[in-house]
């Protein structure tokens, strides 16, 4: 086989490969492109038209958003979501890394049992806890506050993140903390000055996922929040769907896109961390 | 965890969920001498202090509620009056309730059809991407993105539009297949497939895991097979599939468990209104019905009983999968 | 030396940890404090919580009326909170069960007995005696609308009535003019004519509207609800739904798939039908949603006279747990009597219940004029009947009625199955 033929064959393979990948890409991107295009169309052209982007784009839908929903500016919903998302990130990072440190670096009695319990909660359907947790927070008069949505994050109930960090810390060389111990470092110092900085990749991955989870969360806010002023972006959008989705369909579509933006931005900024972090930690058994 | 579909849960370890790592020797090996004993005590103290948030969370938000939920399941509880013990009545009512059976049917159909399709799509695209070509990283990232936004209210709103009458899917179906169902969203027989399509669209999370698994299959195996004259299909069947079976197992396990818990997408896509989900309850998945009974009809006892049935079902599926693992999952020492 | 060193280290350990735990607890505490709702008084100023259901538009109007109220009662602050109808009752239920219901809230006839039985509603009679709430000047006997067993549990804010909202253009083209007292036969003939001449279904599908079936039953001397349970038999409903299914098949009712798909838009405004039964004050909604012109037509009758109609009303109720019954009573009084409130609210919650407010707002737009004329005609023609508050659980039965009727229309269950299902679910909901 001549070199030229090989190159030609490779070229053909490459074209086929890219064609396949582009076909998948089209399916994946269509809804996102659709929502961008639709948000620039007038109300009655949104559903029926096959044209992805309007020839005559309008910005009315976005200008409508500036009025907010029912006297509540959109910035309120974004502020609330941001508060919850950032609050969740802080809680998850602090509580999960403490637990993971204990699991990997401290030889305390009962460690195995607790670890098994923690793994058990990983597979537990959330819905079993939904009603009793609600009853608990209702009795404590904490419904319609952010506490029910945040408390679990500060108490490391997202077992997945504990597990992720355990996986990571387990692979840090043992010699490091032995050296630290010889230098007279206690556990807190070792945790704070040695282990945590080395765990940066795991911490970043956890932070991003926690943020996105909290941002997208729908059921928690739906159940616990009562006052529209405390609503998150998800609930604000749902309110839009219920209230104005008919008369102002375009506004609803524009709001859908705006609600997605933070997640998309996060994704574009951190996609390396997300994908590599998940893929590699997923394979270290 | 919230029922939000994220890829996070998909990143479990392949192989055995090993116990905690080597740590610092452990208390056991230094059990002699008073200094060692003091150190063991200190280790215990430090350990429990570090663990205290988790322990509090486990007691307050997991174990306690589970016990309470089990109790509620045998009571009539409307939040106003104290729970009243009614024995097995919630369970007998549940089995006699045609809506409950319907929600089980909807959920099973969604899980049984949706999960394999999603995993097949994920594996197919992973095989496609598992070649050293330019743009691979870009495609991987782009395909993964839907997994992050798929569970959001926004996408459910978009989905409702894309699958309604005269929108792209309806028109394609009419012109390519000559079928006019008038939009999937309004049709009780079709809307569940738009939900399944939404699930499939989020194939990126399991795809990333598959890709990572594929990367670990040693090249030499393929080269040897090629020398033996094995075609691409035989190579896939005899080498790829067995080699990635641990990854496949965990994807199957987690996607299945996840699918049982779908809520938000079904709730918004079905246009939840008046205690219904979709036309003729067509997207009344199990958790939607649990929500309706618990939070709309104030039947907390009934809803708790439903939750325990879900737990049993998920437990059973997990057990069956783990049991079947012996037959088809190959753990290669070299692969780890 | 070394032991000592690590010992110190150990205590740093603990202290640091405590600080950390304390930090997170403090963060949570802050959250809770920042969000703690509820009523309270502060330096002579009283804050009351007011909750209602409704739309964005209603919210804007209500916010204006509250500003007005706060200006006239500087010592009372009002905190508001609203949801769409279904979410409202879900949230209300959980708040009330937690002993923390809003001080004052919008209420409807279907919920009076329910929450009375749960001991949530305040008897406002005492406040009337104390002179904080005036119950005079109400139109058409509405002053007793919110009474249960002689106790005043709700004060009407506006009256409404079931009506047939029609697409006037389509009706005009088909040459149909509904007249008061027209019969069901004439109504169905009109639907068929619209289907045949106008190429669309006549009606959106009335079989699931509980309040309409109620009228039909009243025309036969029955009612949907008795104070204890259901007021009709399985045979009655089988008959009603059998005819409904025939209508769906014959195309006089809209294709239920299409109706379901355009939700939350009404089928009438989406152009899927030419008329639908709903509350008269909802007419405004069709005008903003749809492209045609919409008007009100009389409810068909069985005997040429009796429509079974009554004036319904949204109410304001107070919670028994409120710490400020007097302020709440003054608030309700203001909302139902102040003329300026009427000019702000318009007919959003129905035609104002008191004469003072009714006189204060004279609609200028065609739709509101039609609503006013419609209700005036009802009052004048003397067809109005009395209604007794629904039994507890009526809301759940109503939702089941709508849902099961839709399932049947979509062909997902037979009439017999649907009827059986409805009676079984109502039995659970009404506890009878």
């Amino acid at each position: 086989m001549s070199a030229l033929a090989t190159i030609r064959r490779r070229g053909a393979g490459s074209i086929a490969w890219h064609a396949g990948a582009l076909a998948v890409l089209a399916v994946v991107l269509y809804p996102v492109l659709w929502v961008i295009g639709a948000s620039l169309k007038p109300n009655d052209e949104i559903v029926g038209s096959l044209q992805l982007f309007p020839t005559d784009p309008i910005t009315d839908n976005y200008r409508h958003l500036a009025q907010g929903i029912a006297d509540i500016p959109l910035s309120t919903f974004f502020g609330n979501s941001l508060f919850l998302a950032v609050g969740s990130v802080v809680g998850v990072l602090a509580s999960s890394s403490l637990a993971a440190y204990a699991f990997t670096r401290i030889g305390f009695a009962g460690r195995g049992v607790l670890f098994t319990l923690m793994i058990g909660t990983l597979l537990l359907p959330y819905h079993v806890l939904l009603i009793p947790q609600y009853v608990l927070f209702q009795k404590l008069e904490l419904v319609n506050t952010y506490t029910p949505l945040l408390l679990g994050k500060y108490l490391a109930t997202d077992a997945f993140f504990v597990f992720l960090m355990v996986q990571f810390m387990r692979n840090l060389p043992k010699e490091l903390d032995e050296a630290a111990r010889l230098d007279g470092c206690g556990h807190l110092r070792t945790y704070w000055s040695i282990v945590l900085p080395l765990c940066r990749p795991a911490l970043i991955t956890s932070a991003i996922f926690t943020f996105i989870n909290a941002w997208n969360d729908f059921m928690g806010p739906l159940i616990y929040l009562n006052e529209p002023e405390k609503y998150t972006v998800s609930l604000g959008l749902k309110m839009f769907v219920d209230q104005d989705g008919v008369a102002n369909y375009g506004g609803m579509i524009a709001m859908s896109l705006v609600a997605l933006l933070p997640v998309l931005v996060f994704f574009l900024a951190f996609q390396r961390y997300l994908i590599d972090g998940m893929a590699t930690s997923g394979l270290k058994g | 965890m919230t029922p939000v579909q994220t890829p996070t849960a998909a990143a479990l370890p392949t192989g055995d969920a090993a116990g905690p790592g080597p740590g610092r020797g452990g208390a056991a090996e230094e059990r002699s001498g008073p200094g060692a004993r003091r150190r063991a005590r200190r280790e215990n103290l430090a350990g429990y202090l570090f663990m205290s948030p988790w322990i509090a969370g486990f007691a307050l938000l997991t174990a306690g509620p589970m016990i309470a939920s089990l109790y509620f399941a045998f009571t009539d509880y409307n939040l106003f009056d104290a729970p009243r013990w009614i024995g097995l009545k919630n369970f007998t009512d549940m089995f006699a309730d045609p809506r409950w059976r319907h929600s089980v049917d909807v959920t099973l159909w969604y899980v049984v059809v949706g999960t394999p399709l999603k995993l097949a799509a994920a594996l197919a695209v992973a095989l496609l991407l598992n070649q050293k070509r330019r743009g691979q990283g870009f495609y991987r990232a782009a395909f993964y993105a839907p997994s992050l936004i798929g569970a959001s209210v926004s996408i459910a709103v978009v989905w409702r539009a894309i699958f309604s009458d005269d929108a792209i899917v309806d028109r394609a179906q009419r012109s390519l297949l000559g079928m006019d169902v008038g939009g999937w969203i309004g049709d009780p027989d079709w809307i569940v497939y738009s939900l399944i399509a939404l699930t499939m669209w989020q194939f990126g999370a399991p795809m990333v895991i598959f890709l990572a698994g594929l990367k670990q299959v040693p090249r030499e195996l393929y080269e040897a097979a090629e020398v033996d004259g094995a075609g691409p299909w035989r190579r896939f069947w005899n080498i790829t599939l067995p080699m990635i079976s641990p990854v496949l197992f965990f994807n199957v396990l987690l996607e299945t468990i996840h699918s049982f818990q779908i809520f938000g997408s079904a709730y918004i896509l079905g246009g939840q209104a008046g205690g219904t989900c979709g036309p003729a309850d067509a997207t009344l998945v199990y958790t939607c019905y649990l929500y309706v009974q618990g939070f709309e009809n104030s039947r907390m006892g009934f809803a708790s009983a439903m939750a325990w049935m879900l737990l049993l079902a998920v437990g059973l599926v997990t057990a069956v999968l783990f049991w079947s693992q012996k037959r088809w999952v190959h753990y290669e020492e070299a692969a780890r | 030396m070394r032991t000592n060193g690590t010992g110190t280290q150990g205590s740093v350990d603990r202290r640091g940890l405590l600080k950390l735990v304390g930090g997170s607890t403090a963060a949570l505490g802050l959250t809770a404090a920042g969000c703690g709702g509820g009523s309270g008084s502060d330096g002579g100023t009283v804050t009351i919580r007011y909750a209602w259901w409704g739309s964005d538009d209603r919210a804007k109007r209500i916010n204006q009326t509250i500003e007005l109220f706060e200006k006239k009662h500087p010592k009372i602050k009002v905190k508001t909170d609203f949801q769409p109808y279904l979410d409202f009752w879900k949230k209300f239920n959980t708040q009330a069960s937690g002993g923390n219901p809003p001080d004052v809230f919008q209420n409807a006839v279907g919920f009076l007995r329910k929450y009375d039985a749960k001991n949530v509603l305040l008897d406002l009679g005492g406040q009337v005696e104390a002179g904080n709430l005036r119950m005079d000047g109400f139109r058409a006997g509405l002053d007793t609308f919110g009474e249960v067993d002689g106790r005043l549990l709700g004060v009407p804010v506006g009256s409404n009535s079931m009506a047939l909202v029609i697409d006037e253009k389509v009706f005009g083209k088909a040459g149909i003019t509904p007249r008061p007292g027209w019969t069901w036969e004439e109504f169905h003939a009109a639907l068929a004519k619209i289907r045949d001449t106008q190429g669309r279904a006549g009606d959106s599908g009335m079989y699931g509207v509980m309040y309409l079936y109620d009228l039909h039953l009243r025309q036969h001397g029955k009612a949907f609800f008795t104070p204890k349970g259901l007021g009709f038999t399985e045979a009655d409903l089988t008959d009603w739904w059998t005819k409904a299914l025939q209508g769906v098949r014959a195309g006089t009712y809209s294709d239920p798939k299409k109706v379901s798909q355009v939700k939350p838009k009404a089928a009438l405004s989406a152009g899927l039908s030419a008329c639908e039964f709903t509350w008269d004050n909802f007419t405004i909604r069709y005008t903003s949603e749809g492209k045609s012109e919409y008007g009100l037509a009389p409810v068909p009758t069985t005997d040429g006279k009796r429509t079974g109609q009554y004036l319904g009303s949204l109410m304001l109720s107070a919670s028994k747990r409120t710490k400020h019954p007097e302020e709440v009573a003054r608030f309700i009084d203001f909302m139902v009597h102040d003329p300026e409130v009427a000019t702000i609210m318009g007919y959003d919650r129905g035609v104002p219940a008191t004469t003072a407010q009714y006189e204060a707002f004279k609609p200028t737009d065609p739709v509101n004029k039609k609503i006013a004329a419609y209700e005036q005609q009802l009052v004048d023609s003397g067809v109005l009947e009395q209604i007794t508050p629904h039994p507890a659980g009526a809301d759940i039965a109503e939702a089941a009625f709508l849902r099961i009727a839709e399932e049947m229309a979509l062909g997902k269950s037979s009439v017999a199955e649907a009827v059986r299902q409805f009676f079984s679910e109502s039995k659970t909901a009404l506890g009878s």
Side-chain angles (χ1 to χ4, degrees), chain C residues 393-416:
Chain C
D395 54 321
I396 295 171
E398 181 191 344
F401 190 75
L402 181 65
R403 189 190 78 241
I404 294 167
E406 190 196 30
E407 265 174 41
M408 176 217 57
L410 282 161
K412 283 286 144 189
S413 58
S414 70
V415 171

Side-chain angles (χ1 to χ4, degrees), chain A residues 14 17 28 34 48 104 106-109 115 126-127 132-133 160 163 170 174 187 209 213 216 256 267 276 278 282-283, chain B residues 1 6 8 11-13 18-20 23-24 43-44 48 61 65 128 133 140-141 144 148 154 161 171 201 212 287:
Chain A
S14 172
W17 185 83
V28 165
W34 183 90
T104 53
I106 306 176
F108 62 97
F115 190 78
Y126 171 72
H127 303 87
Q133 280 188 2
F160 173 74
F163 186 75
R170 190 193 279 171
K174 236 196 306 182
H187 279 302
F209 277 118
N213 268 349
N216 282 343
S256 302
F267 171 70
D276 292 346
M278 296 328 292
L283 282 183
Chain B
M1 269 295 294
T6 64
T8 53
L12 271 175
R24 232 190 219 182
E43 286 285 283
N44 282 343
Y48 281 96
L61 298 175
L128 179 74
R133 290 196 193 268
R140 190 177 65 153
Y144 177 71
L148 290 178
S154 301
R171 291 209 201 180
W201 187 61
T287 52

Side-chain angles (χ1 to χ4, degrees), chain C residues 57 75 102 117 127 134 136 146 159 165 175 183 206 215 250 277 279 301 316 408 410:
Chain C
D57 179 57
K75 295 251 164 208
Q127 292 299 324
R134 291 164 290 160
D136 49 1
S159 65
V165 178
T183 63
M206 59 184 194
L215 296 190
F277 289 97
W279 296 99
T301 66
L316 290 179
M408 176 217 57
L410 282 161

Side-chain angles (χ1 to χ4, degrees), chain C residues 7-295:
Chain C
T8 327
Q9 216 51 63
S11 70
V12 169
D13 230 344
R14 241 161 291 151
R15 223 181 300 142
L17 237 156
L18 279 174
K19 216 189 281 172
L20 216 134
V21 172
S24 15
T25 325
L28 282 165
L30 258 173
T31 320
C35 306
S39 48
S41 49
D42 164 41
T45 310
V46 161
T47 302
I48 56 175
R49 241 172 82 214
Y50 173 33
W52 77 91
W53 70 85
S55 66
D56 181 9
D57 179 57
R58 181 175 291 172
K60 286 177 180 155
R61 291 172 196 268
I62 285 188
N63 286 346
Q64 285 181 44
T65 62
I66 286 170
E67 259 173 52
L68 196 66
F69 175 77
E70 288 180 340
K71 212 179 286 169
K72 297 198 180 170
H73 297 83
K75 295 251 164 208
I76 309 177
K77 290 268 164 276
V78 183
K79 247 185 88 181
T80 61
D81 163 356
F82 78 100
Q83 316 279 340
Y85 180 74
L86 287 162
D87 293 327
F88 173 87
W89 286 110
K90 197 173 65 208
K91 302 279 184 194
F92 180 84
N93 192 63
T94 51
Q95 288 178 47
S97 60
N100 187 28
D103 297 288
V104 54
F105 56 95
Q106 191 167 303
N107 202 352
V109 70
F111 297 87
L112 279 182
R113 276 192 204 276
K114 176 174 184 165
Y115 286 108
D116 183 37
K118 294 185 194 295
N119 217 9
V120 173
L121 304 178
L122 177 71
D123 179 2
L124 288 160
Q127 292 299 324
V128 176
E129 276 165 35
N132 297 325
L133 174 61
R134 291 164 290 160
M135 285 307 289
D136 49 1
F138 279 82
R139 298 187 304 117
L142 282 170
D143 48 338
T144 56
F145 185 78
E147 282 184 9
V148 171
D149 309 329
R151 286 165 305 129
L152 182 63
L153 302 181
V155 180
V157 290
S159 65
N160 56 4
S161 181
M162 279 305 275
L164 180 63
V165 178
I166 60 170
D167 184 325
E168 287 183 332
K169 285 186 183 166
V170 176
F171 265 67
K173 271 189 247 162
I176 301 162
T177 330
R179 55 172 182 80
W182 66 333
T183 63
W184 290 105
E185 285 73 33
E186 289 170 302
F187 172 70
H188 285 294
L191 297 188
K193 194 171 173 192
I194 290 167
R195 176 199 59 196
D196 297 339
T197 63
Q198 304 300 310
R200 67 162 87 175
D203 182 272
S204 306
M206 59 184 194
Y207 36 81
V209 185
M210 182 276 276
Y211 283 101
L212 178 75
Y213 186 46
D214 186 34
L215 296 190
H216 187 262
L217 289 167
R218 282 165 188 273
Q219 293 174 6
H220 292 88
K222 300 181 176 183
F224 198 99
F225 292 115
T226 65
K228 286 257 155 80
L230 294 176
F232 57 98
T233 64
E234 298 196 17
D236 291 331
L237 186 58
T238 306
D239 182 51
W240 179 251
W241 276 351
T242 305
K243 284 180 186 153
L245 199 55
Q246 285 162 3
V248 172
R249 290 197 177 129
T252 48
Y253 295 132
S254 311
D255 179 352
K257 284 186 197 174
K258 297 259 160 76
V259 176
S260 154
Q261 186 162 251
V262 297
K263 269 180 199 166
K265 196 177 198 166
L268 176 61
S269 27
L272 296 175
S273 68
C275 65
E276 64 188 48
F277 289 97
T278 186
W279 296 99
D280 55 2
N281 59 323
F282 288 178
T283 320
I284 289 218
R285 161 187 178 189
Y286 296 93
T287 315
S288 68
E289 274 181 20
K291 291 196 172 115
S292 191
E293 278 159 30
Y294 304 92

Side-chain angles (χ1 to χ4, degrees), chain A residues 160 164 167-168 276-285, chain B residues 11-13:
Chain A
F160 173 74
L164 182 80
Q167 293 287 87
F168 202 91
D276 292 346
M278 296 328 292
T280 49
S281 68
L283 282 183
K284 284 177 194 152
Chain B
L12 271 175

Side-chain angles (χ1 to χ4, degrees), chain B:
Chain B
M1 269 295 294
T2 56
V4 174
Q5 160 87 19
T6 64
T8 53
L12 271 175
T14 61
D16 54 330
R24 232 190 219 182
E29 64 190 62
E30 306 170 59
R31 197 169 283 161
S32 52
R37 206 171 300 142
R38 200 171 328 134
R39 184 139 95 224
R41 209 176 323 133
R42 221 169 36 232
E43 286 285 283
N44 282 343
L45 187 63
Y48 281 96
L49 276 174
F50 271 75
M51 287 301 294
S52 58
W54 183 88
I55 292 171
F58 183 76
L60 190 70
L61 298 175
T62 307
M66 277 186 78
I67 296 165
S69 171
L70 188 60
Y71 168 65
F72 291 154
F74 296 96
T75 65
D76 180 12
Y77 185 34
N78 65 5
L79 283 179
F80 275 94
D81 314 305
R84 190 168 54 88
W85 185 265
I86 53 168
L88 287 170
K89 187 159 183 305
N90 283 328
F91 292 93
T92 53
D93 280 0
M94 196 191 307
F95 297 135
D97 176 6
R99 262 193 113 190
W100 180 79
R101 289 200 301 263
H102 171 74
S103 79
V104 170
D105 288 348
V106 171
T107 312
L108 284 180
W109 189 244
Y110 168 76
V111 172
V112 167
V113 176
T115 311
L117 283 176
K118 180 181 189 179
L119 290 176
L123 182 56
V125 180
L127 287 170
L128 179 74
L129 286 194
N130 188 34
Q131 297 183 22
K132 280 247 174 295
R133 290 196 193 268
R134 216 184 310 159
Q136 189 214 32
F138 164 76
Y139 287 122
R140 190 177 65 153
F143 296 171
Y144 177 71
S147 302
L148 290 178
I149 57 177
S152 64
V153 177
S154 301
I155 290 298
V157 167
V158 171
W159 225 252
R160 241 183 111 77
I162 293 179
F163 282 87
S164 56
D165 198 13
D166 266 350
I168 185 162
V169 177
D170 182 52
R171 291 209 201 180
Q173 194 180 16
R174 252 183 306 176
S175 55
L176 299 179
L177 305 174
M179 277 171 77
D180 185 6
V181 297
W184 293 11
I185 295 300
D187 192 304
D189 295 327
W190 281 88
I191 187 170
V192 67
Y193 296 103
S194 59
L195 193 61
I196 288 172
L198 177 54
T199 307
M200 283 180 69
W201 187 61
Q202 301 166 57
F203 69 85
M207 177 200 77
V208 168
I209 308 287
F210 276 134
L211 257 179
L214 287 169
K215 288 234 165 73
Q216 305 218 335
V217 182
R219 288 260 137 235
E220 309 87 63
L221 286 178
Y222 290 113
E223 280 154 17
E226 215 155 348
V227 169
D228 288 350
W233 178 247
R234 270 199 40 210
R235 286 199 302 260
F236 172 74
W237 198 251
N238 292 334
I239 300 172
T240 313
L241 216 48
M243 289 302 287
I244 62 163
S245 57
V247 183
L248 181 63
F249 171 74
F250 267 94
N251 268 337
V252 169
L253 179 69
L254 289 161
E255 290 298 330
T256 309
I257 292 177
H258 223 122
S259 296
F260 270 105
Q261 302 176 46
I262 182 175
F263 175 76
S265 307
Y267 184 93
I268 301 283
L269 194 69
Q272 205 273 0
T276 65
C277 230
D281 276 347
T283 54
L284 187 82
V285 291
Y286 199 85
T287 52
C288 275
Y289 193 43
L290 193 153
Y291 174 83
V292 166
Q293 286 289 10
F295 291 92
E296 284 183 0
N297 297 353
S298 313
R299 295 176 72 189
M300 293 294 176
F302 188 88
S304 297
M306 279 186 71
W308 275 89
M309 287 305 297
L310 179 68
L311 182 63
L312 282 181
V314 169
L316 196 69
V317 169
T318 312
V320 167
L321 279 173
F322 267 103
W323 170 80
S324 77
Q325 187 188 10
K326 291 197 281 281
R327 286 155 200 269
W328 60 276
V329 180
H330 307 269
Y331 290 111
E332 296 279 335
E333 284 311 310
R336 280 193 280 140

